[in-house]
Amino acid sequence: MTTYRGRRRVTLVSLLLVVLAAALGPTPSSAADGDWWEPAARPVPDARIGVTGAPFTGTGDGGEVRGFVDAHNHIMSNEAFGGRLICGKPFSAKGIADALKDCPEHYPDGSLAVFDFIVNGGDGRHDPDGWPTFADWPAHDSLTHQQNYYAWIERAWRGGQRVLVNDLVTNGVICSVYFFKDRGCDEMTSIRLQAKLTYDMQAYVDGMYGGPGKGWFRIVTDSAQAREVVEQGKLAVVLGVETSEPFGCKQILDVAQCDRDDIDAGLDELYALGVRSMFLCHKFDNALCGVRFDEGALGTAINVGQFLSTGTFWRTERCTGPQHDNPIGPASAPEAEKRLPAGVRVPSYDEDARCNVRGLTALGEYAVRGMMERNMMLEIDHMSVKATGRVLDLFEAESYPGVLSSHSWMDLDWTERVYGLGGFVAQYMNGSEHFVAEAERTEALRDEYGVGYGYGTDMNGVGGWPAPRGADAPNPVTYPFRSVDGGSVIDRQTTGERTWDLNTDGAAHYGLVPDWIEDIRRVGGQDVVDDLFRGAESYLGTWGAAERHRADANLAEGASATAGSTEWNPFTSYAPGRAVDGDRGTRWASDWSDDQWLRIDLGAVHRVGRVTLDWERAYGRAYRVELSTDGVNWRTVWSTASGDGGLDTARFTAAPARQLRLRFLDRGTEWGYSLHEVGVHRG
């Protein structure tokens, strides 16, 4: 069974995931029997699907869509990292023998499969032949061979999956240091190629079914379109991005290599490509945010990569809350460390300092707000605790639901905040026993918020997937079995001369996703699978709510403001109006004492239900929000005695007010009270 440690290895190369496929049309085969789900022309020879029966269509009794959601996959990662890290293609106009063949340097015995033995140990030796024998790959622990062949994805769809997020992925540093490549290492160039090839794969599948729009593999760009696809019984494919330096936003010696114009141009370009969700940082600290560390030898190797890319190693500090990043630890990674300049060593880290000092930068916050403006969904996996906390603060301040955790790479203590916003959570594709245990741990939260569950396979993500439980394990998968909806019969999957059995082979490729779900049912019971079957509805619910979101007007912006005191400075102004000028680069600051106040005149009576306070370092531990219609009679509508700085959101029953007063009672620091911006909203 895959452990979290094995999964981190996966996620490490989970950064190598990208969308690919190349093609024109398929080779005609004998005519199908007329069933809409069977192609009129499938390439010959090809993989068998191993599923009979009609895919379910329509919606449930309440109009909800049904089906499983894979929130994190990398169909095209064979095109990433220089094009020679993941061997094999998800499809080829030349047929399966061309698609499922090894990288040329792996012949004759895998001796030069360098990345294979770097990430998986051993000497990397293996039988390189894919089609038709598949002696050594794909396999649950074969990390550099194609797992996303189109027919295997087709089998997962036939088994009940209805949403697939294809994360376009690459990493320029891994590309630059890897020995074998056939193209350049620019990350955005790779992302563009992977997007194009995903559309090519859609056209390839369409060609089997008679032309554009007729296939089961449908790229969608809004939630309504996705719902239509799922109602038709087809697979809705969403484009995401997971890369370390989006828009060229790396940092070198703490200096950003991008600006706001680069971010705007990058977001606009990705949106035009059809991308609707993305990570802002992944593996390496960049100009947008700090990352959640990897640990052990893998963490050391990535830390070396960070230094080679940015000139800085990870830096840690003690965590200020219950959440924490992964411990880096003292493990060595000799092969990686050899690449460091003479005299440079990976630093040691205090065991009790497990949080990245880097959070969300000013540019990162600009990118987050840009994603909200474009109604995109933000992936918080891989962000440092400090960055994630700020993102959740920003989303809560705006009531923005578009937040995703797609493969178990956030601190699990954030789960309820994600659900509270209306976000979506998926678990990494762990072994069934581990998966069930984690699903049961969060079941009460899903029941409370009325949400479904997802999985993130991270296939082609170089991490490792569920190992076989063994033919003698309790409650093994018995073939054939029925799909969750009861309408299809699923038998063992055969490709070429190889037939896979989940009990003895584990989750070797994407076609075994239905078998893995059946294993979860046998290990954990029907409840977990029912939650997964509600996953498509929940994911599309989050997406649709993000699309419908519109920012509320800030009633305080440009309003008249007064304060009980103002800190004097000969070089800049900290006047009360600086807290309502719409500029987060300015601030109001009080004298260095308790019992201070800030008063804002909204100019007219409005119904007020939400107030946001964006603190500078000098924050209030205890304070209250007061409202008045006449400036004489005040009533307290919200208060706290446990403020911790950052971005606070006060929500309360909306009430009429022209005047708003913040009464500050107890300081959180030795300084006074200092606010970058106060927002007042109708709620």
Side-chain angles (χ1 to χ4, degrees), residues 25 77 119 164 186 222 232-233 247 276 335 355 365 415 451 527 601 629 671:
S77 61
V119 297
L164 186 158
D186 178 73
D222 62 60
Q232 294 167 9
F247 330 127
R276 295 297 180 266
E335 291 302 316
C355 280
E365 185 162 330
T415 303
V451 296
D527 285 351
D601 186 340
T629 56
W671 306 297

Side-chain angles (χ1 to χ4, degrees), residues 196-428:
K196 174 189 178 300
L197 291 175
T198 306
Y199 285 99
D200 287 350
M201 182 165 166
Q202 176 178 258
Y204 179 78
V205 174
D206 280 352
M208 299 181 198
Y209 287 80
K214 295 187 176 182
W216 52 268
F217 185 93
R218 311 304 322 149
I219 298 170
V220 294
T221 56
D222 62 60
S223 64
Q225 184 184 20
R227 285 184 179 278
E228 291 177 4
V229 167
V230 176
E231 287 176 21
Q232 294 167 9
K234 298 182 179 183
L235 181 68
V237 179
V238 185
L239 296 186
V241 165
E242 183 185 39
T243 191
S244 293
E245 296 164 357
F247 330 127
C249 281
K250 68 185 300 178
Q251 58 91 9
I252 299 177
L253 298 175
D254 298 324
V255 177
Q257 305 299 299
C258 67
D259 58 23
R260 290 186 172 194
D261 288 343
D262 295 319
I263 292 169
D264 284 333
L267 287 174
D268 286 344
E269 179 183 11
L270 290 179
Y271 195 90
L273 289 173
V275 172
R276 295 297 180 266
S277 70
M278 70 175 295
F279 297 76
L280 288 183
C281 52
H282 180 235
K283 298 305 177 183
F284 300 155
D285 295 334
N286 62 25
L288 306 176
C289 49
V291 294
R292 182 168 167 83
F293 309 128
D294 285 84
E295 60 183 285
L298 176 59
T300 299
I302 293 175
N303 203 5
V304 170
Q306 154 129 344
F307 180 85
L308 296 175
S309 176
T310 69
T312 59
F313 289 108
W314 289 329
R315 297 197 298 271
T316 65
E317 63 185 4
R318 291 186 178 180
C319 304
T320 58
Q323 294 83 13
H324 54 78
D325 295 320
N326 296 318
I328 302 171
S332 63
E335 291 302 316
E337 291 175 84
K338 288 178 183 177
R339 296 184 174 275
L340 291 172
V344 176
R345 299 287 182 271
V346 176
S348 59
Y349 296 93
D350 292 338
E351 194 172 326
D352 63 347
R354 291 182 56 179
C355 280
N356 194 337
V357 302
R358 294 179 187 270
L360 191 69
T361 68
L363 283 174
E365 185 162 330
Y366 184 80
V368 170
R369 294 184 184 278
M371 291 183 69
M372 285 195 282
E373 290 171 4
R374 293 164 177 82
N375 304 106
M376 298 172 73
M377 294 179 287
L378 175 64
E379 295 265 11
I380 58 174
D381 284 3
H382 292 297
M383 277 187 170
S384 69
V385 160
K386 184 179 287 188
T388 302
R390 180 66 177 179
V391 165
L392 295 177
D393 284 348
L394 290 169
F395 280 12
E396 287 167 349
E398 299 290 341
S399 299
Y400 189 74
V403 57
L404 306 172
S405 173
S406 62
H407 65 326
S408 304
W409 202 250
M410 70 169 181
D411 187 297
L412 297 178
D413 281 342
W414 295 123
T415 303
E416 186 165 12
R417 286 187 74 182
V418 172
Y419 284 149
L421 280 163
F424 182 79
V425 174
Q427 185 188 158
Y428 183 79

